[in-house]
Structure formats: C-alpha cells, structure tokens
Amino acid sequence: MICKKIHYVLFCLVMAALLMPSQLWSQEKLHPVIPPGEYNQTMPKPTSFPVIHEIASSRLSTRSGLSGGDIETFKVEGVTFRMVRVRGGSFIMGATEEQGEEAGDDERPAHEVQVGDFYIAETEVTQELWEAVMGYNPSHFKGPQLPVESIRYRDIDLFLMKMEFYTGQHFRLPAEAEWEFAARGGLKSHHTKYSGSNDFEEVAWYCNNSGNRSHEVATKAPNELGIYDMSGNVEEWCGDIWKPYAQGADPEDNPNVRVRRGGGFLDFATHLRVSDRRGATHAIFTNDIGLRLAF
C-alpha cells in the first residue's frame, strides 16, 4: 500500500513538472538560438529561443492598408515598419546616361527590363525589428533605429522564415532589378544619379559625412517613392546570384556570390549610384552590409 502511494506521488510530481508553465522553467531548459554560420568571438551570442507555445501566445502582428493603397504597415512584437507599393513597368537598367563615365563594365550594357508590381520596405531592416524577431542583435554599431548589420546572407533565411510566421506574409529579399527600379523612383523617376537626388549629400550617408559608422534610418531625404537610404548608410543584399550583364561574358554563375546594392557609409560617392552593383560571398559579414525587405 505504501509503495502504491509513493508511486502515485511520484506520478503527480512528474505530471506537474510537464504541465508547468514554460515561464517557470530556467533559461537552461530553453533551446538556444544558433543562427546559421559561425560567429567570431567578438560577435554577441543570442540568449535563448522560446518554445513554440510561448511564441504563439505572444505573437503580435497587425497589417493595415490592405485595400490596395501604396503603403502597408506591419507590427511585429510592438515594432512597426512600412512597406511601399511599387507599381510595375519597364525601365532601362544599368549604365544609363545620367550615370556618366563612373559606370563600370559590370553595369553595361544598359538594357530594358520589365518588372511587375511588388512591395519594398520604406527603410532598411532596423536592429529593433531584427532583435524582436530573432532575439539577438549581431550589429557592431548599436541602436534600435540603426540598420542591422554584421549578418551573413544565410542568416537572413531564418529571419525571413520567422517574419512569415509572425505576419503571415511571405517576405523575401528584392530581386536586383526590383531594387534598382525602386531606387530610381519606379514610374515616378526623375532619372537622378543617386536614389532621389543628383546631390548625394541630400540622400546618403557615405565616407565623407558618416563618421565611418551607420546612422539611424530615414534621416536623409527619401526618393520619389518615399523610400529612404537606397543610396548609402549600409549596403543591401539582393536575392540574385551575381552575373555580368554583357552577353558572351563569363557568367561566373557561382551561387555563393550574391548581389549587394546601394553603397554604404564607408563608400565613395560612385558606389552610391543607383546602377552601381557589386557581388560578395554569402558567408561574408561586415558592419556596412544590411538588408531591405520585399514581397
């Protein structure tokens, strides 16, 4: 009889432990976030990843502007960001006349491209949004409204997957043609050399005015579509594999080399131009490369 009582008490204790609210478990019981890729010792490590029912219970996302307007607003865990609708059309991509002699060989030949409607973020992804979604902040320069940086291309995959969970929207990186079309102002383009102006000081943080660091998003003038920092602040990953435009050129079709656009706070003005393009291995992470959302 005593043995039965002991077994019953043990059974109750085990069931109570299994049903205990997750908030009462120690942090050691939670599964740690291990972002894809290796992090060096100077980079901050994420702390913990809440179990699934904790995420679901705290899931806070809203979406407005669904009636076909030009702006859609999202909120994730209290962090709000806006997506700008870009109406599709055709444009000349690459070394157009206003780019002048600064245009490089990889921007030639200029060629006509047709893009459909899409949405692109009003600003680069901020550290505030990244940390709300991922639970850690890898950036070298810290600040909630600074663009997130020091992220590898492959780290972005998990971020996009979690963004879809929070919002129900399938976010992605912009295609290179979409990025340039938006940077040029879309169908509202004034055909400027930089995104929104022929004067890079008006629209860009770059090597001569940045103090060699990133700055809060949307502190320079926007372009014709109301999009900020497509010239300067931090470079931005695109979804494309880097390839030359020229027919007959070596395609260099390396899936590990991806397109980055826009120039950053360490760059000279030539890299702020809307047609300027560079590639980088997807394993690289530096404090002047970030990202911008699209769908």
Side-chain angles (χ1 to χ4, degrees), residues 231-251:
S231 289
N233 212 5
V234 293
E235 291 188 86
E236 301 172 17
W237 287 113
C238 290
D240 301 53
I241 297 170
W242 192 94
K243 296 179 182 180
Y245 293 153
Q247 292 184 359
D250 182 358

Side-chain angles (χ1 to χ4, degrees), residues 5-284:
K5 287 183 178 180
I6 291 173
H7 290 161
Y8 178 74
V9 170
L10 290 174
F11 174 78
C12 290
L13 289 173
V14 170
M15 292 302 295
L18 291 175
L19 296 174
M20 185 181 298
S22 56
Q23 290 84 353
L24 300 180
W25 286 77
S26 67
Q27 288 297 314
E28 287 74 23
K29 299 290 186 181
L30 299 175
H31 300 290
V33 169
I34 304 176
E38 298 175 358
Y39 283 82
N40 64 33
Q41 294 181 353
T42 63
M43 295 183 68
K45 299 293 191 298
T47 54
S48 62
F49 184 82
V51 294
I52 293 300
H53 69 267
E54 287 182 319
I55 294 178
S57 65
S58 63
R59 179 175 173 182
L60 298 172
S61 64
T62 59
R63 180 175 179 178
S64 61
L66 299 179
S67 59
D70 288 333
I71 299 288
E72 290 200 18
T73 302
F74 293 81
K75 179 181 279 189
V76 176
E77 297 290 4
V79 179
T80 300
F81 64 98
R82 287 152 55 101
M83 302 292 294
V84 178
R85 184 181 184 185
V86 181
R87 298 180 186 275
S90 62
F91 76 108
I92 304 300
M93 184 175 182
T96 47
E97 183 178 359
E98 78 282 348
Q99 299 303 306
E101 296 180 356
E102 292 180 69
D105 291 342
D106 60 351
E107 300 168 47
R108 305 177 189 277
H111 53 288
E112 185 173 6
V113 175
Q114 179 78 32
V115 296
D117 291 2
F118 64 98
Y119 279 83
I120 194 166
E122 184 179 53
T123 70
E124 295 151 338
V125 170
T126 62
Q127 294 176 29
E128 181 181 43
L129 178 58
W130 181 277
E131 189 165 8
V133 172
M134 299 293 283
Y136 72 100
N137 182 2
S139 303
H140 176 72
F141 300 106
K142 292 290 196 287
Q145 291 302 305
L146 294 179
V148 69
E149 26 88 352
S150 299
I151 50 173
R152 288 188 175 95
Y153 192 94
R154 56 193 176 189
D155 297 331
I156 297 170
D157 289 338
L158 179 59
F159 174 71
L160 295 175
M161 182 173 65
K162 294 183 73 172
M163 282 290 293
E164 183 171 0
F165 171 79
Y166 276 102
T167 65
Q169 176 63 55
H170 180 66
F171 288 100
R172 57 178 174 79
L173 293 174
E176 184 179 16
E178 291 174 334
W179 191 97
E180 184 169 325
F181 186 56
R184 288 177 176 271
L187 298 178
K188 300 179 180 179
S189 178
H190 296 159
H191 305 288
T192 54
K193 192 171 188 176
Y194 311 99
S195 184
S197 179
N198 284 316
D199 181 358
F200 46 79
E201 293 282 355
E202 290 182 359
V203 295
W205 294 109
Y206 73 114
C207 65
N208 287 346
N209 67 6
S210 68
N212 294 328
R213 57 160 300 140
S214 61
H215 288 258
E216 291 190 356
V217 299
T219 51
K220 288 288 188 175
N223 73 358
E224 298 92 326
L225 295 172
I227 304 171
Y228 295 87
D229 298 313
M230 296 199 82
S231 289
N233 212 5
V234 293
E235 291 188 86
E236 301 172 17
W237 287 113
C238 290
D240 301 53
I241 297 170
W242 192 94
K243 296 179 182 180
Y245 293 153
Q247 292 184 359
D250 182 358
E252 298 182 23
D253 193 1
N254 184 342
N256 293 328
V257 178
R258 300 287 176 154
V259 173
R260 58 187 201 195
R261 284 297 206 117
F265 62 84
L266 294 175
D267 283 314
F268 293 107
T270 187
H271 293 302
L272 309 176
R273 297 176 299 102
V274 291
S275 63
D276 183 75
R277 58 196 302 261
R278 290 182 282 183
T281 172
H282 68 354
I284 194 174

